[in-house]
Amino acid sequence: MAKTLTAMIKLCLIELGVWVVTAPAYASGYHLGLQSVTAVSTGNAAAAEAADPTTIVLNPAGLAYLEGTQINGNLFLIKPDINYNHARGTFSDGSAVQGPQSGNISNTVQAVPQAYFSHRLNEKWGVGLGLYIPYAAKTNDSSHSVMRYNVNKTNVKAIDINPTVAYKLNEHHRFGVGLIAQYLHAEIQKYADFTPVGSSIAGVPTSILHQTAPGGFDARGTVKGNDWGYGFNAGWLWDINPDVRVGLSYRSKINHHLRGTARWQPVGAYAKKYAPLFDQFGYKPIEAAGVQITTPEVVSLHGMWTVNPQWKVFGNVSWTRSSRLHDLDIKFENNKSIDQHHGITSDTTHIFTNWRDTLAVGVGASYQQNSQLQWRFGVNYDQSPVRSSSTRLSTIPDGNRWLFGAGMKYDVDKHQSWALSYTYLHIQRTHMRQQDQGMHVSSNVLGEANYRSYAHIFGASYNYKF
C-alpha cells in the first residue's frame, strides 16, 4: 500500500508543481508586448518614435524628446482562444484518462490597463514613471476534461513600477535609464488522481478503477504565491539627421523566488475518504512551496525614417534570452517519499524545459492624413522559445507568432490626443507530447494534445499634455 500510495502522491505533486512554475512562464511564452497602443498598432515597431510617455518601456531615452508634463493611460481588452483537441492522458499503469478530449482553456475577455507620466525638467533632463502589466494570463478548463490533471485554472499577473530619467547630450544623442520593481502574483488550480489509494485498499488494479470510477478519486490543488523582483532598463537614441533616427534599448533580467502555500481539497467521494493517509509520507494538506524564476534580458535595435511630412516608417529587432528557462526546480517544505522500498526521499520537482533564445522582428508605418488624424499599421514575427513537442508543457502550448496591428491617433487639440488599435495575434498550431522522468518528485505520466491558439486585442489610449 505504501508504495502505491507514494506513486499516487508523486503524480499529484508533480502536476501541481508544474503549475507553480509554468504559470509565470506561460505569460512569458505568450508575452504580447501590450504596453503601448500607439506602438502595438505598428506591430511594436515604433520604439524609436518617442511619441508619448509609453517610451518609458520602449526606450527610456525618448523621455528627453517629450515636452511639458504628460499623463498617458492605456487600456487593452484581450479575447484569447487556446483550443486543444485529440488530447490524451496516460497513467503509469497504461490506462487512459477518461473525459472530453477537446476544450478551450482561455476564452474570457481580459482587461490590461497601463499608466505613464512624464515631466520635462529643463532643456536637458526629463523624468517619468511607468505603471504597467508586462505579463497577464488566465486559463480555466473543465473539471471533467481528459486534460484536468494537466491544465485546469490559472490567474497570473505581474505589475512593473518603472521610474526613469533621460538626458539630452546634444541635438543628436539622448540617453535614458530606469529602475524596475516587479510584483508577481500567481494563483493556480488543478486536479490530481488518487486512484492508487483505492487500488491498494480494495486489491483492484488501478487500470480497472480508472475505467469503473473515473473522477471518484479526484482532488483539487490550489497554489498561491508572490514575490518582488528588481531590475533596470536603459536606452539610447541617435538622430543621424532630421529624417533618420536609430536606437538601442536593454531590459535586464529580474530574479523571482515565488513563495506561497499549496492547498489540497479532495472532491471525489473516495479521495475525501482516504486523503488523511498522505500526511505520513510528507505530503501535507497545506505546506509551503517555492520556485526560483529569472525573467530574461531583452535587447532591441530600432529605427524610424521620416519619408515626408505624411509618412514615417518604423523597424524593430528584439533578442530575448529565453534560454534562462532551461530547467526549473520546485522546492517543497517537506521531504516526500518517492521510493518507499529503498527509503528515497526528495523535496524537489525538476522540470526540463530547454527553452531557446528568440528573435522578434517588426515593421510598421504611420500616415498623417491631416493635422489631427494619423493612421498606423504594422506586423511583427516572434519566435517561440519552445524547442519541440517533447519539452512543450500543457500550460505552454506556445508556437511562433504573427502579430498584425492597425490603428489611428487623433489630436483633439494641443493638449489632448486619443489612439485606438486592433491587433490580431496568430500562433502556429502546436503539438505537445511530454513525459517527466527521473528520481525526483515526478509522475512519469504521458500527456499529449494538439493546440490552436490566437487572440483579438483591442486598445485605447488617452494622452494629456499640460
Side-chain angles (χ1 to χ4, degrees), residues 55-313:
T55 189
I56 290 170
V57 183
L58 306 174
N59 189 320
L63 282 174
Y65 289 96
L66 302 183
E67 297 295 335
T69 300
Q70 300 188 34
I71 297 176
N72 182 281
N74 289 250
L75 177 65
F76 291 96
L77 297 178
I78 309 170
K79 175 56 173 67
D81 280 280
I82 305 176
N83 300 280
Y84 67 87
N85 55 40
H86 298 98
R88 295 189 300 171
T90 306
F91 294 112
S92 57
D93 61 13
S95 60
V97 179
Q98 293 191 37
Q101 298 180 347
S102 61
N104 191 322
I105 65 173
S106 184
N107 62 355
T108 58
V109 176
Q110 302 172 36
V112 181
Q114 325 278 11
Y116 304 91
F117 166 83
S118 70
H119 176 65
R120 188 70 174 268
L121 294 174
N122 52 46
E123 184 181 348
K124 293 287 187 179
W125 292 93
V127 296
L129 177 67
L131 301 173
Y132 53 91
I133 299 173
Y135 305 117
K138 186 179 286 187
T139 60
N140 191 4
D141 197 8
S142 166
S143 60
H144 302 291
S145 168
V146 70
M147 294 288 289
R148 64 186 180 272
Y149 306 118
N150 301 95
V151 174
N152 183 248
K153 179 181 179 181
T154 185
N155 186 3
V156 179
K157 187 170 290 185
I159 300 175
D160 280 9
I161 303 173
N162 191 184
T164 59
V165 60
Y167 177 71
K168 176 183 176 182
L169 180 64
N170 52 44
E171 292 302 319
H172 297 283
H173 300 282
R174 291 164 174 83
F175 301 89
V177 64
L179 298 177
I180 300 173
Q182 184 176 91
Y183 176 78
L184 180 63
H185 172 80
E187 179 180 353
I188 304 102
Q189 176 183 290
K190 68 175 308 299
Y191 284 73
D193 176 51
F194 289 175
T195 301
V197 172
S199 175
S200 62
I201 294 175
V204 179
T206 57
S207 58
I208 295 177
L209 290 179
H210 280 143
Q211 303 304 312
T212 58
F217 296 89
D218 279 3
R220 181 170 60 236
T222 303
V223 172
K224 294 183 180 181
N226 56 75
D227 184 49
W228 280 96
Y230 303 92
F232 71 95
N233 64 333
W236 163 61
L237 287 169
W238 176 25
D239 288 317
I240 299 175
N241 57 50
D243 298 326
V244 178
R245 179 186 299 165
V246 296
L248 185 68
S249 65
Y250 173 80
R251 181 182 175 93
S252 75
K253 67 178 183 179
I254 298 179
N255 294 320
H256 283 285
H257 189 178
L258 293 176
R259 297 177 178 87
T261 57
R263 296 175 179 267
W264 298 92
Q265 180 182 358
V267 294
Y270 300 111
K272 293 178 181 179
K273 183 176 181 179
Y274 298 115
L277 296 174
F278 307 157
D279 189 272
Q280 60 183 302
F281 295 101
Y283 302 93
K284 310 295 182 179
I286 300 176
E287 67 170 332
V291 61
Q292 185 73 34
I293 296 174
T294 300
T295 61
E297 300 93 329
V298 181
V299 179
S300 296
L301 176 65
H302 31 266
M304 178 181 72
W305 175 32
T306 302
V307 181
N308 54 46
Q310 286 75 44
W311 284 96
K312 292 181 180 178
V313 178

Side-chain angles (χ1 to χ4, degrees), residues 248-405:
L248 185 68
S249 65
Y250 173 80
R251 181 182 175 93
S252 75
K253 67 178 183 179
I254 298 179
N255 294 320
H256 283 285
H257 189 178
L258 293 176
R259 297 177 178 87
T261 57
R263 296 175 179 267
W264 298 92
Q265 180 182 358
V267 294
Y270 300 111
K272 293 178 181 179
K273 183 176 181 179
Y274 298 115
L277 296 174
F278 307 157
D279 189 272
Q280 60 183 302
F281 295 101
Y283 302 93
K284 310 295 182 179
I286 300 176
E287 67 170 332
V291 61
Q292 185 73 34
I293 296 174
T294 300
T295 61
E297 300 93 329
V298 181
V299 179
S300 296
L301 176 65
H302 31 266
M304 178 181 72
W305 175 32
T306 302
V307 181
N308 54 46
Q310 286 75 44
W311 284 96
K312 292 181 180 178
V313 178
F314 311 104
N316 183 80
V317 178
S318 295
W319 173 83
T320 302
R321 193 179 179 182
S322 300
S323 59
R324 283 197 173 277
L325 195 67
H326 183 266
D327 49 25
L328 294 165
D329 287 334
I330 307 163
K331 294 290 185 179
F332 298 100
E333 179 182 3
N334 303 289
N335 279 316
K336 322 295 181 203
S337 176
I338 62 173
D339 189 334
Q340 184 70 18
H341 181 72
H342 296 95
I344 299 176
T345 63
S346 176
D347 67 347
T348 302
T349 288
H350 179 76
I351 299 176
F352 181 62
T353 52
N354 195 30
W355 275 21
R356 63 181 178 181
D357 297 337
T358 60
L359 283 176
V361 179
V363 292
S366 68
Y367 174 72
Q368 194 73 40
Q369 181 172 325
N370 54 49
S371 61
Q372 292 180 295
L373 180 61
Q374 182 188 83
W375 300 99
R376 303 168 70 85
F377 52 90
V379 62
N380 185 286
Y381 176 77
D382 194 0
Q383 289 180 315
S384 169
V386 181
R387 294 178 186 268
S388 67
S389 61
S390 63
T391 56
R392 179 174 286 114
L393 303 177
S394 60
T395 50
I396 315 178
D398 194 26
N400 297 332
R401 303 182 287 279
W402 284 94
L403 184 148
F404 302 92

